[in-house]
Amino acid sequence: MLQHTTPTEAREALLRIYQKGLSRVEGRGAVADWLQQYPLTTPVRMVAIGKAAQSMAMGAREQLGDAIQQGLVVSKYGHIDHRYCRQQGWRTLESAHPVPDAASFEAGDALLELLNEPTSTPLLVLISGGASSLVEVPIEGVDLAFLVRTNEWLLGSGLDIVSMNWVRKGLSRIKGGGLLNWLHGRKTTLLAISDVPGDIPAAIGSGLLTPEPQLQQRLETLTLPHWLSEKLMAGAQQRVVRVPQDEVPPLQIVANLDAAKSAAAEEAEAMGFAVSLRAEFLDGEAEDTGRKLADQVIKGPPGITIWGGETRVNLPSQPGRGGRNQHLALAAAEVLAGVDGCLLLSAGTDGTDGPTDDAGALVDGATLKRVDGLGFNAGQSLTAADAGTLLEASGDLITTGPTGTNVMDLVVGLKYEL
């Protein structure tokens, strides 16, 4: 364990450990490493969709060069360097996340247009988190307003990401393996950065190229509002995948949460900390999880503790500023209040937390003290889902910008001897 750690050094250490986790799963390096190990020997047409789309495409370019004959890159607003992509001759489209917009429909049309072009050139498909909302071709009778209503309901429902993606698949002609109907027998290499528990292929990006034969039965296990369940039943026939199993491309995981956690642990050990790398997946309520983890840090031995996962927040009708990581961190700050030598970082690996430009927050025993006299109440901020406003005032928000990856969230605790 490092000796004579100061509060400033402790915060810097946690941020360094978090950044090391991100670098291990950054899309460019992950894709380049895979293609170096398993080189493609023919020209390809490339499709990259997700928050890490450009980063993954850059990794493909690094290894394949001009063998990429044509490219389509679809990502979240602000996550594409259009000048770079134009220099490669790639078409770029930006759309919305986590709720689709009209540009998501345009991206869906562009995707089908590329796949319908008469050519037998093999495909390289790169998928990362966010693909579910960034590109869409809905079933008949579903328009943008209905999709927005559905996604807004899902994001506040408390359902886990796998269940939410079942619903998204049910309203789509391309999710749940539906996009296979447009491959026309072409050889396809499918690489993904996993943003789902257990790296389940059918759940990553809502399984654009991974069929889910039991989808209807799974939808029937969910408690959904009538207006939504009725539409899902009506669209069952439009979701039929007409491709034999032997033509389904295997999905190759090039980066995931475990890799990020391991890299973070290696960095912490290299810095001289005792490290506890937790295998448990964090998927409960963000507020309860934040309190529990802060308590574990306080009661545990000195050193670094690393968790990963994706917690949930049940949103009020008019939520404030923040996301699940900021919510978790503020709840932890209440438990840590007045305790010296204990900190907790909770942040998304994609650089965004909920509908904000912040990745998360790093709190300590003085977080709430720093906002004394400013009119804040942590409990009220949590009830209003407005953790971000308080954490901005306390100076505890983490802002990274787009990271080129998305493997859910990292949570890192530190207890040090004073």
Side-chain angles (χ1 to χ4, degrees), residues 3-13 341 343 414 416-418:
Q3 300 298 316
H4 310 300
T5 302
T6 68
T8 297
E9 289 171 341
R11 295 180 72 88
E12 291 175 348
L343 305 89
L414 169 60
Y416 63 95
E417 297 172 340
L418 300 174

Side-chain angles (χ1 to χ4, degrees), residues 98-167:
V99 178
D101 64 358
S104 304
F105 284 34
E106 294 173 13
D109 291 341
L111 176 59
L112 297 191
E113 179 183 326
L114 183 149
L115 295 180
N116 278 327
E117 292 178 7
T119 176
S120 59
T121 303
L123 289 166
L124 173 62
V125 179
L126 310 173
I127 301 294
S128 56
S132 290
S133 70
L134 295 171
V135 59
E136 185 56 281
V137 181
I139 59 175
E140 292 180 13
V142 171
D143 58 10
L144 177 59
F146 189 92
L147 274 188
V148 169
R149 181 186 183 190
T150 298
N151 277 276
E152 289 178 342
W153 181 85
L154 288 172
L155 292 170
S157 68
L159 290 175
D160 59 52
I161 186 62
V162 173
S163 298
M164 286 195 282
N165 280 346
W166 288 345
V167 175

